Amino acid sequence: MYELEERVTILEDRTSRLEEVLEEFIRSTQASLSLLSIEMRKAEERSEREMKKFQEEMRKAEERSKMEMEKFQEEMRKAEERSEREMGEFKEEMREFKRDMNKKWGELSNKMGTIVEDIVSPAKG
């Protein structure tokens, strides 16, 4: 019987020790989980801040691009207007030149006719 009591005592001691180790393991695991939870919350907050910062940078870049595109479009519109105006001016200059040339050709033709009359008329006379 003594042997049985001794074994029971050994088992009780081992069980007590196992319970102590298990309690320590549970406390350690809970502490680790708490730290992990805190670290994950910090990482999530950091990610949210970085995402907001990135979104703001993208919004600003989009605004800059939009402004640059609008500026470019305005420059192109002005260049087109200038080209159209210059082309209109050029066409008008060409019309004037053509009228002047037609007038000069007409005057030259009249002079040629007068010369021919001057040459032919005295011979008939």
Side-chain angles (χ1 to χ4, degrees):
M1 187 92 135
Y2 177 74
E3 202 176 290
L4 183 62
E5 287 179 8
E6 190 176 309
R7 285 185 173 179
V8 168
T9 303
I10 292 172
L11 282 175
E12 286 176 346
D13 288 344
R14 286 179 144 186
T15 303
S16 291
R17 188 162 181 263
L18 183 61
E19 287 174 345
E20 289 172 4
V21 168
L22 187 58
E23 285 176 12
E24 181 58 33
F25 174 75
I26 290 171
R27 277 194 294 275
S28 173
T29 303
Q30 286 176 339
S32 293
L33 286 174
S34 293
L35 288 174
L36 180 62
S37 177
I38 291 169
E39 289 300 316
M40 286 187 66
R41 191 169 36 253
K42 287 179 182 178
E44 185 178 335
E45 289 171 357
R46 188 172 45 250
S47 293
E48 286 179 19
R49 281 192 310 270
E50 290 174 1
M51 182 59 80
K52 286 180 182 178
K53 182 180 176 184
F54 176 72
Q55 287 172 337
E56 181 64 20
E57 289 172 0
M58 291 303 294
R59 187 187 61 74
K60 288 178 180 179
E62 182 179 9
E63 286 178 11
R64 274 193 310 274
S65 294
K66 185 178 178 182
M67 287 173 48
E68 289 173 2
M69 182 57 78
E70 288 172 356
K71 182 180 176 184
F72 175 73
Q73 288 173 338
E74 180 65 19
E75 290 173 359
M76 292 304 294
R77 186 186 59 75
K78 287 179 180 179
E80 182 179 9
E81 288 174 358
R82 186 175 51 250
S83 293
E84 287 176 4
R85 186 181 65 248
E86 290 173 355
M87 183 57 76
E89 291 171 0
F90 177 74
K91 285 181 178 180
E92 184 57 35
E93 288 174 10
M94 287 292 100
R95 279 189 211 101
E96 282 183 40
F97 177 75
K98 187 177 178 181
R99 271 190 300 254
D100 288 345
M101 290 308 295
N102 286 338
K103 185 178 177 182
K104 288 180 181 180
W105 278 108
E107 290 172 359
L108 183 61
S109 178
N110 287 340
K111 284 182 184 181
M112 294 292 283
T114 305
I115 291 174
V116 169
E117 285 176 4
D118 289 346
I119 294 174
V120 172
S121 286
K124 285 186 177 183

